[in-house]
Amino acid sequence: MRVHRYSFQKKKKSKEMIIGIGVGAAALFLCLGGQSTAVEKLKQGFASFLYEEVLDWYMPAAGSQDLPSASPLGEKGIAQHLLAHFFPVTGFLSQEKEALPDYPLQVESELSYEMILAWEASDENYVDEETKKVIAASGEPLPQAVEEMPKLTEEADLAQGAATAYDAVGTYGMRQKAVTYPREKLNDFDYLIQNFYQVDNTTTIDGNQLNAAKLLEKNMKLTHDASTPQILIYHTHSQEGYADSIPGDLGTSVVGVGDYLTNLLTEKYGFSVIHHRGTYDVESRDHAYSKAAPALEQLLAENPSIEVVIDLHRDGVGENTRLVTNIDGKQTAQVMFFNGLSRTTKMGDIGYLYNPNIEDNLAISFQMQLAAAEYYPGFTRRIYLKGYRYNMHYCPKTLLIEVGAQTNTFEEALNAMEPLADVLHTVLMGQQES
């Protein structure tokens, strides 16, 4: 037995040596130029061999990650990655300013781009109308334990108690803080995450990107008056309704909630608001974001004065979960701010879903979250961070807001617009104390 094992190991090492030499030669060849049909066919053949055979032999774990049959890296990307992996010295030969990405970060391809758009559109929880089950992005029903948000920390519990005991003075806009979060504590990344964020396990973030001091110093104040449009409200998922919504009646869905928010912002706070009631998920939720994008682009092009974009949604939770709190004696649906990071744990930074406004997106949602936590404790759930982009790249001050869930009543969702409008006014007018 010992002899056979030794023989097998020798053969294995020999095969590794042969394939290693082949990898080097093939990868170097793929990096070369050449535009002839014959050369291109040879390059494609080598790319296929490297991807399907060599990757399985040397990196079986990478091959088990449900990767597409065609590499998103392309021929040259495969060659560069394998050269860097097997022959690290080749990295010093590159004249590029940025280091090569780690597998499986992307070079743009139409196939993977289309797949990402589909995943993005179905990346939020939704409720199957027939089964009434909450469906996750994977297509599987969510267990109750996953649907519910983590419990608040002890300090947040104390803030909730303070809000209950607090008696609001006067109207919205004259309210006093119920609780104050020390700014020095917010600069602790662990404290910040535990109290203000829920990071989905499909993405990652660190203290460099999620820095409270930097997020708070961003100026979210509007730069012009209401003589021209300032705020745009729209709905990627217009068909999301509530427990007592009337099927087919947008006025009782999340779109109706947007109507009320528009009225509050214009009539009570004096903002100039456009409410776009277009529908992009009537037949299917698939590609809802890409379907909404042209209309969003047109609206922003026609109204360049718009500084704030709000995509208003409704979440999906287990039937036994109630996202409700009491504000000023009213049963009020809780809201949740949602940010896309254009980054997944599998793909890393998604270059073809580049968002130059991520820092500003994170800043406005955090300033909104902090103002809500201090003026209306218990009103918001933690900010949810996930991959992909969600059309948040069109405008720096973009908010994706989940208003309650299918277990809330329409009235509870409407009631939520009153504190939400007040928090928007506080942040956009620069009235929050530092």
Side-chain angles (χ1 to χ4, degrees), residues 20 143 151 170 245 265 308 324 394:
K151 292 187 180 300
S245 293
L265 291 175
V308 181
V324 66
Y394 288 113

Side-chain angles (χ1 to χ4, degrees), residues 382-401:
R382 299 185 196 184
I383 300 172
Y384 205 89
L385 302 179
K386 207 164 186 178
Y388 311 132
R389 188 169 60 182
Y390 311 100
N391 285 342
M392 301 185 78
H393 60 299
Y394 288 113
C395 180
K397 299 171 188 171
T398 295
L399 291 163
L400 195 162
I401 307 175

